[in-house]
Amino acid sequence: MIGELVRQAVRNLTRRTLRTVLTTFGIFVGIVTIVTMVALAAGVQREIGRNVAELGLDIVRVTPRTQETGLPRNVFQAPRTTPITPAVVEELRTIPGVVAAVPVVAIPAAVDLRVQIDGRETRVAPTTLTRPPFAQLQPKLIAGAALEGEERGAILSRNALERLGVGTDGAWSRLVGEPITLIARTSRGEQETFRVLVRGIDDGDRPEITLGYRDAADVMSWWNDDPDLLTSQGFDAVTLRAASLGAVPAIGEAVTSRGFAVTSVQALLDVVNRVFAILQALLAGVGGLALFVASLGVVNTMLMSVYERTREIGIMKATGASRGDVLRLFLVESGILGAIAGVSGLLAGWLLSLLVDWIAHRYLESQQVTFVGSLSYVPWWLAAGALGFSVLVGVGAGLYPAYRAASLDPVAALRHD
Amino acid sequence: MTSADVLAARTASRDGHLIEIRGVERHYTLGGGPVGALRGVDLTIGRGELVALTGPSGSGKSTLLNLLGGLDRPTSGTVRVAGLDLGRASERELTIHRRRVVGFIFQSFNLLPRLRAVENVELPLVWSGVGAAERRRRAIALLERVRLGHRLEHLPSELSGGEQQRVAIARALINNPALLLADEPTGNLDSATGREILTLLTELNRERGLTIVLVTHDPEVAAIAGRRVRLRDGRIEAVEEQAP
């Protein structure tokens, strides 16, 4: 029965191909809008999610709260109301779900830091990104071992060693485990010398040094002229690693309740997701409006069709079609109108989003930005939703015309020319 | 019980008359006042009869045919066909009546223009939910019976008037109706073709004991009927019986 209805409906629609195409075009545009916009939003969201996830979803970064001074934060360090002292680090380590806690001491760029090997000296920039938290962002290790939360030790970059004239593999390996001289200077010319052990060499192409937090704290104690730096000011941050992703929110709460500020990649991701949900809703709303306008076109076409086929409806009724049969016939017809628009709209929307993605890649390339992901992503729910919704719009728009057709008086309908 | 069982029970309980019309009136509202298309008609028609309804246009003969076919309901009085009081029947019962008890043929054939001959004949079976293979088998058998076995796949526009009317007759018979209602079946045909159609109707009446009620204003057509009922101004003016 349904098969027969579909056959008849298709035959009726193909009889007036131009009208069918024009009518479906409205829904088509609506679906294209929705699919393109949502696919791009979903694609961008997915890429952000992926990139952020690479940073480590299981990492919670704890920072001290500071007083509001109203001064620029990058120049003046605000007093810390809740310093992260070594005792605090021990306490944080006991929070259920925490498997590691690595303190961070950041050396500001104002500190003039130099490395001296065999009488040669080069200036290096201190990096605060300690493994493991942001491992993906750090250059690959080419000799030795990572700091992995070690209290003392240094990782030197390949570039720094090259500047110092230590340019071969063998020399790099030999350097691991050896002490080097680190010189810190103020702009006024005061200076202090530290001895640190080289633990590893990374592939960095800038002159950099990464210090264990104890060594970094030594430098900062001298810089601040505060031997009790870690108990007065505390660490700049602690990175906690959670046993599982599920533990991250609870750890975040436990840390917050102790008065510290928390940033986790997951929290960041939640915000991103929320923003994109709103964005998608907005874009879908625009498409929805287009669909609503388009549905009026379907109502109009179907009413015309009912009028033109009044006599046929009379014949159907005279040959034993029930009200339901006539109703179904017209609903199937308008539903197919919607389905045609849905399928073509989904396809066109997907292609359009691929085109936008292609253009975006070409643009990024011209800006020398390498970006490998795709901005276009049609999740299954978007495809299913677009198809279902377009059929729904078609059927919905066909309700009144179909009801009119089903309610026709057979005698009057048969007399209709 | 299926609708067929109901039908069988109903027809079995009434021997003799297939159609009983008692005091039927049908009024329309036209231009502000009521217009009486039928103004008190009494008529009974037996099984296997071939009856012609004649009379000038506006006499109410088509209105009466529509009432018998369940396309319309009387304003008052009763129209009983195969045991069903059509004036009081539900919408569903009227649909079943049109589907299984009666078959219609019209002056202008009324075939669906986009369906092939065989598909037009199948149409009533589609509403009955008969499977495609069974539909095709029965439609072909009937088209062969009306001598159109060679025209199965033609569209109505590719058929002559007489051929179209034969397709319409096949369509009307596909559900094995008890009653065939024909509204000016030869009105759009030349006289030779018209005679062919009349011959076919007479044959069906004899072969199958099919009850036929046909509306015509052509005396030559009315001549094939066993009984001629002449209407005028919504009333029966005269009934002529004719020995078979």
Side-chain angles (χ1 to χ4, degrees):
Chain A
M1 182 74 182
I2 281 292
E4 190 61 32
L5 285 178
V6 170
R7 252 164 41 111
Q8 288 202 23
V10 167
R11 213 176 290 194
N12 286 326
L13 290 172
T14 49
R15 177 176 54 147
R16 303 213 183 279
T17 314
L18 181 63
R19 191 164 76 186
T20 302
V21 167
L22 290 177
T23 305
T24 50
F25 195 72
I27 304 183
F28 170 82
V29 168
I31 294 291
V32 167
T33 312
I34 292 179
V35 170
T36 309
M37 297 304 189
V38 177
L40 287 174
V44 171
Q45 185 184 16
R46 185 180 61 166
E47 281 313 312
I48 289 179
R50 272 185 191 162
N51 288 328
V52 171
E54 279 180 4
L55 300 178
L57 279 172
D58 52 349
I59 297 301
V60 178
R61 190 178 166 87
V62 182
T63 49
R65 285 204 194 280
T66 53
Q67 276 175 17
E68 272 309 323
T69 57
L71 297 168
R73 278 171 181 243
N74 51 352
V75 179
F76 302 95
Q77 200 178 38
R80 291 166 174 173
T81 52
T82 54
I84 304 175
T85 60
V88 168
V89 173
E90 287 313 308
E91 189 191 335
L92 293 177
R93 212 166 252 149
T94 62
I95 294 174
V98 172
V99 291
V102 180
V104 176
V105 173
I107 300 174
V111 182
D112 182 344
L113 214 54
R114 283 154 198 274
V115 173
Q116 209 177 49
I117 296 175
D118 297 338
R120 292 180 73 165
E121 190 179 299
T122 188
R123 185 166 176 177
V124 289
T127 65
T128 52
L129 298 179
T130 52
R131 294 164 196 273
F134 299 106
Q136 307 296 327
L137 294 183
Q138 284 198 322
K140 271 210 309 278
L141 215 61
I142 54 179
L147 278 177
E148 298 286 6
E150 289 289 335
E151 299 185 0
R152 292 196 178 274
I155 305 284
L156 280 166
S157 71
R158 174 174 51 78
N159 181 279
L161 291 176
E162 281 165 0
R163 282 163 190 257
L164 289 163
V166 188
T168 63
D169 280 352
W172 293 342
S173 311
R174 246 177 285 127
L175 206 56
V176 173
E178 295 294 316
I180 53 163
T181 306
L182 195 64
I183 302 160
R185 281 197 193 125
T186 67
S187 48
R188 292 193 300 271
E190 300 160 37
Q191 74 170 53
E192 177 73 5
T193 305
F194 303 89
R195 299 288 283 176
V196 293
L197 275 179
V198 176
R199 290 190 60 85
I201 318 288
D202 72 23
D203 199 26
D205 51 9
R206 281 181 297 244
E208 283 173 340
I209 190 167
T210 311
L211 291 172
Y213 66 89
R214 285 282 173 198
D215 285 330
D218 288 348
V219 174
M220 289 313 291
S221 290
W222 166 79
W223 178 261
N224 287 324
D225 198 13
D226 181 356
D228 296 322
L229 182 79
L230 290 183
T231 44
S232 61
Q233 282 289 301
F235 295 106
D236 294 304
V238 178
T239 50
L240 304 179
R241 185 146 46 144
S244 68
L245 283 187
V248 170
I251 293 172
E253 273 171 39
V255 172
T256 312
S257 70
R258 285 168 167 83
F260 301 102
V262 162
T263 47
S264 68
V265 173
Q266 201 177 36
L268 193 69
L269 211 55
D270 283 346
V271 173
V272 169
N273 281 334
R274 220 170 301 143
V275 168
F276 273 99
I278 293 169
L279 200 62
Q280 283 180 341
L282 273 172
L283 296 172
V286 172
L289 194 67
L291 279 183
F292 173 72
V293 175
S295 72
L296 298 181
V298 176
V299 173
N300 186 42
T301 298
M302 291 308 293
L303 281 176
M304 265 172 74
S305 180
V306 169
Y307 179 80
E308 286 170 359
R309 283 151 63 192
T310 299
R311 195 187 178 90
E312 280 182 35
I313 295 162
I315 296 169
M316 291 181 203
K317 289 199 158 188
T319 56
S322 64
R323 283 178 62 106
D325 292 330
V326 177
L327 195 77
R328 272 190 292 276
L329 182 67
F330 280 89
L331 285 183
V332 166
E333 209 167 303
S334 62
I336 289 176
L337 275 180
I340 293 171
V343 170
S344 51
L346 179 61
L347 207 65
W350 175 60
L351 291 175
L352 194 61
S353 70
L354 286 181
L355 181 71
V356 171
D357 176 54
W358 185 81
I359 292 170
H361 272 84
R362 294 298 87 76
Y363 173 75
L364 288 174
E365 265 170 31
S366 75
Q367 302 293 307
Q368 262 109 51
V369 178
T370 44
F371 171 70
V372 282
S374 170
L375 293 182
S376 160
Y377 173 48
V378 179
W380 69 267
W381 52 262
L382 177 58
L387 287 181
F389 198 50
S390 57
V391 172
L392 207 68
V393 167
V395 171
L399 275 176
Y400 175 67
Y403 170 78
R404 282 263 296 251
S407 307
L408 281 175
D409 168 30
V411 174
L414 281 168
R415 227 181 271 137
H416 193 269
D417 288 316
Chain B
M1 269 205 289
T2 67
S3 57
D5 297 332
V6 174
L7 206 64
R10 214 188 264 148
T11 43
S13 67
R14 300 254 157 193
D15 48 359
H17 301 313
L18 179 67
I19 299 170
E20 290 175 42
I21 299 168
R22 296 271 171 265
V24 159
E25 307 213 0
R26 181 67 176 99
H27 302 287
Y28 295 103
T29 347
L30 252 186
V35 178
L38 290 176
R39 298 189 285 180
V41 171
D42 296 282
L43 183 66
T44 53
I45 297 174
R47 244 166 232 294
E49 267 198 88
L50 202 172
V51 177
L53 301 177
T54 65
S57 43
S59 58
K61 51 191 194 303
S62 287
T63 303
L64 191 55
L65 204 71
N66 289 337
L67 291 178
L68 292 175
L71 292 177
D72 196 7
R73 293 171 192 262
T75 310
S76 63
T78 58
V79 177
R80 195 179 281 278
V81 178
L84 179 67
D85 184 344
L86 298 179
R88 286 182 189 79
S90 68
E91 184 68 33
R92 183 78 206 148
E93 285 172 317
L94 279 188
T95 299
I96 297 295
H97 175 76
R98 294 196 288 257
R99 194 178 289 174
R100 316 215 43 150
V101 182
V102 299
F104 274 99
I105 58 178
F106 305 90
Q107 178 174 359
S108 49
F109 324 130
N110 278 342
L111 300 176
L112 290 188
R114 284 176 316 287
L115 298 188
R116 302 178 188 289
V118 69
E119 291 168 330
N120 260 291
V121 176
E122 286 178 29
L123 192 63
L125 295 179
V126 171
W127 313 129
S128 311
V130 176
E134 170 71 1
R135 287 204 306 258
R136 186 54 52 107
R137 192 185 62 72
R138 282 162 68 176
I140 290 174
L142 267 174
L143 279 169
E144 279 166 356
R145 168 64 192 86
V146 298
R147 293 182 289 278
L148 276 179
H150 58 299
R151 293 292 211 202
L152 300 178
E153 300 296 330
H154 287 65
L155 289 173
S157 56
E158 297 161 348
L159 298 172
S160 71
E163 287 172 330
Q164 288 189 54
Q165 194 61 299
R166 282 189 272 158
V167 173
I169 290 171
R171 180 180 67 187
L173 297 178
I174 192 90
N175 268 322
N176 277 320
L179 175 63
L180 184 69
L181 301 170
D183 194 351
E184 304 273 12
T186 60
N188 279 10
L189 303 173
D190 61 63
S191 54
T193 317
R195 266 194 298 279
E196 275 177 41
I197 295 296
L198 292 179
T199 309
L200 183 57
L201 290 180
T202 317
E203 282 171 15
L204 290 169
N205 174 244
R206 293 221 182 100
E207 274 172 27
R208 311 186 165 212
L210 181 67
T211 312
I212 300 177
V213 178
L214 68 87
V215 160
T216 183
H217 59 261
D218 182 345
E220 220 181 305
V221 175
I224 67 159
R227 192 149 55 119
R228 287 184 289 279
V229 179
R230 195 157 76 236
L231 287 125
R232 179 178 284 275
D233 298 331
R235 291 197 180 88
I236 293 176
E237 190 184 49
V239 178
E240 294 174 50
E241 304 259 358
Q242 168 179 293

